[in-house]
Amino acid sequence: MKFMTARIHFRSATLAAIAASMSSAPAFAQNAPKLDTGNTAWMLTSTALVLMMTIPGLALFYGGMVRKKNVLATVMQSFAICCLITVLWFVVGYSLAFSDGGGMNAWLGGLSKSFFSGITVGTLWAPGTANIPEYVFAVFQMTFAIITPALIAGAFAERMKFSAMLIFMAVWLLAVYAPIAHWVWGGGFLGGAGVLDFAGGTVVHINAGVAGLMCALVMGKREGYGTVNMAPYNLVYSVIGASLLWVGWFGFNAGSELAADGLAGAAMVNTQIAAAAAGLAWMFTEWLVAKKPSVLGIVSGAVAGLVAVTPAAGFVNPTGALIIGIAAGILCYFAAVRLKHAFGYDDSLDAFGVHGIGGIVGALLTGLFADPAINPLGKDASVVTQLYGIAFTIVWTALVSLVILYVLKATIGLRPSTQEEIEGLDLSQHGEVVP
């Protein structure tokens, strides 16, 4: 995202405003940044698109892939996470990610913007550049904070207690997501080191994928895994969900420019090309290996391409996006089909295989294909710097996620009883069933 640039422009605009006010009050009033209605309209639209990615997009995508007895519980996870994270983001999450943390600013924001304190209808984010209301920026970022923990749920689908899920997601948002968002986008040390992440390859996808892997490892396999038929309940739901994700991703990536301009257009083009290329790459790879191209395969491939192009969308040219998409489609296929079986973990809906691996592929290739002609911030891009950001994210996410999981396991427990899991989470956790 353009947060580093926005931060620099913010400081410059602030200094200019102070200087103007010292010379004459009327000059200050005349030169004060004004709301950009075009940018604001685009960001309002982008915010709605990104929210659509979780509800109903991800809810349907995941809901269609589980068994009938767990459909409602899976959809409920996405919806409940949306509600929970919204409140937590307003209360303290946004402040931890995007306010000044004083002496600790390299690592974490402060509490000055808790409950959106200090933000009014006239407060602008990135004055002098984007000139959008900070309320809009805060809610735009809220939608990112919502979908990231919702993605994790794909790794433990069909086997986590609803109560444990809510507590895990709440603590994880504050202890993992908010700090990493601050490191990369809020003025922290990774952004300062030159790590490029236009729209969330590191903050969202690697973060969620690694946390999902930790959940799968700690919780173990689903009852009957490997012996019981676990075919998806309704792949039409998954196709609809994946399609909503694809459309919503234009808000995710192009919206991360924070402006209605040429770079947003480039991010949109790159998003479309990478998704299509990855869908085809997964499909043809599966066709060669398994002898048939599956519906689940092509939609999973498209999502993998969307994931991989996320950090690169505003830094690479369309040819780079094409290569990133092809690489993601092939590598994520083998991660989802071969890697988890080789290591024996049960990543139910391939949260790590698609989001973790796809995010890593995209972040690394951003360092390789960043084009200064698309975005001047890409002139100093390097694979080594990108690897630095990936490594810090993986280590922090893995360690803190493990701590949260083991504390929950030792206290309230992570899984329902064997009998409850066999009868399905819809009935045992929510008292409802799909007719």
Side-chain angles (χ1 to χ4, degrees), residues 114-252:
S114 297
F115 295 92
F116 289 179
S117 177
I119 304 176
T120 71
V121 293
T123 307
L124 297 183
W125 182 263
T129 53
N131 291 325
I132 61 174
E134 187 168 0
Y135 272 138
V136 175
F137 175 77
V139 179
F140 180 66
Q141 284 302 318
M142 179 189 287
T143 61
F144 281 64
I146 287 168
I147 197 169
T148 306
L151 292 171
I152 300 171
F156 58 71
E158 303 192 298
R159 66 190 187 280
M160 183 180 266
K161 291 197 303 186
F162 187 67
S163 57
M165 186 278 297
L166 288 174
I167 297 171
F168 174 80
M169 294 304 180
V171 178
W172 191 87
L173 175 83
L174 302 180
V176 179
Y177 181 84
I180 291 178
H182 183 78
W183 296 354
V184 179
W185 294 334
F189 70 99
L190 290 183
V195 173
L196 299 179
D197 186 359
F198 193 76
T202 301
V203 177
V204 175
H205 297 293
I206 298 175
N207 205 2
V210 172
L213 178 61
M214 297 304 104
C215 289
L217 293 174
V218 172
M219 296 186 67
K221 301 174 183 178
R222 287 167 286 178
E223 293 292 336
Y225 182 75
T227 59
V228 174
N229 182 9
M230 295 187 174
Y233 165 62
N234 192 325
L235 284 180
V236 174
Y237 289 172
S238 295
V239 172
I240 294 171
S243 302
L244 289 167
L245 284 168
W246 190 331
V247 174
W249 227 289
F250 293 125
F252 203 79

Side-chain angles (χ1 to χ4, degrees), residues 225 334-345:
Y225 182 75
F334 284 107
V337 175
R338 298 293 176 85
L339 186 67
K340 68 178 180 181
H341 294 300
F343 287 93
Y345 59 86

Side-chain angles (χ1 to χ4, degrees), residues 56-379:
L58 189 68
L60 287 170
F61 184 59
Y62 278 174
M65 286 194 282
V66 298
R67 289 167 288 175
K68 182 178 180 181
K69 63 184 180 180
N70 295 311
V71 172
L72 294 176
T74 302
V75 172
M76 174 68 163
Q77 287 173 345
S78 291
F79 204 93
I81 287 169
C82 178
C83 297
L84 175 68
I85 301 307
T86 294
V87 174
L88 288 175
W89 190 252
F90 165 64
V91 172
V92 69
Y94 176 68
S95 188
L96 292 175
F98 290 103
S99 70
D100 191 337
M104 290 291 292
N105 194 59
W107 297 94
L108 191 65
L111 299 176
S112 61
K113 293 188 178 182
S114 297
F115 295 92
F116 289 179
S117 177
I119 304 176
T120 71
V121 293
T123 307
L124 297 183
W125 182 263
T129 53
N131 291 325
I132 61 174
E134 187 168 0
Y135 272 138
V136 175
F137 175 77
V139 179
F140 180 66
Q141 284 302 318
M142 179 189 287
T143 61
F144 281 64
I146 287 168
I147 197 169
T148 306
L151 292 171
I152 300 171
F156 58 71
E158 303 192 298
R159 66 190 187 280
M160 183 180 266
K161 291 197 303 186
F162 187 67
S163 57
M165 186 278 297
L166 288 174
I167 297 171
F168 174 80
M169 294 304 180
V171 178
W172 191 87
L173 175 83
L174 302 180
V176 179
Y177 181 84
I180 291 178
H182 183 78
W183 296 354
V184 179
W185 294 334
F189 70 99
L190 290 183
V195 173
L196 299 179
D197 186 359
F198 193 76
T202 301
V203 177
V204 175
H205 297 293
I206 298 175
N207 205 2
V210 172
L213 178 61
M214 297 304 104
C215 289
L217 293 174
V218 172
M219 296 186 67
K221 301 174 183 178
R222 287 167 286 178
E223 293 292 336
Y225 182 75
T227 59
V228 174
N229 182 9
M230 295 187 174
Y233 165 62
N234 192 325
L235 284 180
V236 174
Y237 289 172
S238 295
V239 172
I240 294 171
S243 302
L244 289 167
L245 284 168
W246 190 331
V247 174
W249 227 289
F250 293 125
F252 203 79
N253 286 356
S256 291
E257 165 61 357
L258 304 185
D261 60 14
L263 187 55
M268 179 172 279
V269 169
N270 289 337
T271 300
Q272 180 69 14
I273 290 172
L280 292 174
W282 185 305
M283 181 189 76
F284 283 118
T285 302
E286 184 181 42
W287 206 340
L288 289 171
V289 174
K291 308 308 179 186
K292 290 184 179 180
S294 70
V295 172
L296 182 58
I298 193 170
V299 299
S300 297
V303 172
L306 292 164
V307 168
V309 79
T310 292
F315 295 113
V316 304
N317 59 43
T319 301
L322 179 72
I323 296 170
I324 289 171
I326 294 171
I330 296 171
L331 293 174
C332 289
Y333 167 78
F334 284 107
V337 175
R338 298 293 176 85
L339 186 67
K340 68 178 180 181
H341 294 300
F343 287 93
Y345 59 86
D346 180 12
D347 179 5
S348 305
L349 308 181
D350 298 310
F352 176 70
V354 172
H355 296 277
I357 298 299
I360 291 170
V361 169
L364 287 174
L365 294 183
T366 298
L368 186 63
F369 292 114
D371 183 353
I374 297 293
N375 189 332
L377 291 177
K379 64 183 177 63

